[in-house]
Amino acid sequence: MIDRHLVTLTVNGREHELLLESRKTLADTLREDLGLTGTHLGCEHGICGACTVLLDGEPVRACLVFGVQADGAEVRTVESLAEEGGELNDLQQSFSRNHGLQCGFCTPGFLMLAEAYLDTDPVGDAEEVREVVSANLCRCTGYQGIVDAVVEVAAARKEQRQA
């Protein structure tokens, strides 16, 4: 007998009611039930961070959270970043400009990790950003481009807040 639970998730601003198996991960729920395949599965042990999403504003490894644990929560995935019409947001554009994309597999996790960091009104210097992005793994070893991109957006957003 499969143990299923009715849960309500608000994903990228849209509410969903889902009947989930108790052991189904949030990552699998997002990908398989909601078709949000931007959340990538890498190690599936919470080490690489490719599956990072925001759960009530905090970055979490979606491979380590069961979908039922997210009942009633707000989830943001990489699909939430682009503007209507598909235009990339400032962080995505900065990743592109600064060659922070590499092969792209880890990029959704880095983008969501960076988005959570940028929401904290950070100092935004390279040292601090390096510490933040050290939580995720890029197998292409392209960290400098990622750091440059986040530093650039932190400065731009800080300037916007002060204007």
Side-chain angles (χ1 to χ4, degrees), residues 3-161:
D3 188 22
R4 294 178 191 250
H5 303 269
L6 183 63
V7 300
T8 302
L9 298 175
T10 302
V11 181
N12 301 333
R14 187 168 165 221
E15 189 173 297
H16 302 272
E17 282 194 0
L18 302 164
L19 191 59
L20 297 178
E21 293 178 26
S22 57
R23 296 180 50 94
K24 190 170 198 171
T25 67
L26 179 58
D28 287 339
T29 300
L30 294 169
R31 293 178 58 81
E32 296 169 7
D33 296 299
L34 301 178
L36 298 170
T37 56
T39 302
H40 291 172
L41 286 169
C43 67
E44 297 189 61
H45 295 333
I47 297 169
C48 74
C51 64
T52 302
V53 299
L54 303 186
L55 184 64
D56 289 333
E58 297 295 322
V60 298
R61 309 288 207 225
C63 71
L64 296 182
V65 176
F66 292 121
V68 295
Q69 290 176 299
D71 187 21
E74 288 198 26
V75 179
R76 278 188 68 198
T77 69
V78 71
E79 286 89 349
S80 73
L81 297 180
E83 309 291 331
E84 278 191 39
E87 184 177 332
L88 301 179
N89 81 351
D90 58 346
L91 182 61
Q92 292 169 308
Q93 290 177 23
S94 186
F95 264 61
S96 178
R97 245 188 334 274
N98 289 287
H99 308 287
L101 299 170
Q102 302 295 319
C103 78
F105 189 82
C106 65
T107 302
F110 274 108
L111 286 167
M112 297 315 294
L113 181 67
E115 196 64 30
Y117 167 71
L118 292 167
D119 282 346
T120 65
D121 191 18
V123 172
D125 63 25
E127 183 178 344
E128 187 176 77
V129 171
R130 250 185 226 101
E131 179 68 24
V132 169
V133 301
S134 71
N136 285 19
L137 296 176
C138 171
R139 294 196 170 105
C140 301
T141 67
Y143 292 96
Q144 190 58 50
I146 295 168
V147 170
D148 292 344
V150 177
V151 167
E152 180 181 279
V153 173
R157 288 187 185 180
K158 184 173 281 191
E159 191 175 303
Q160 288 173 349
R161 280 191 296 273

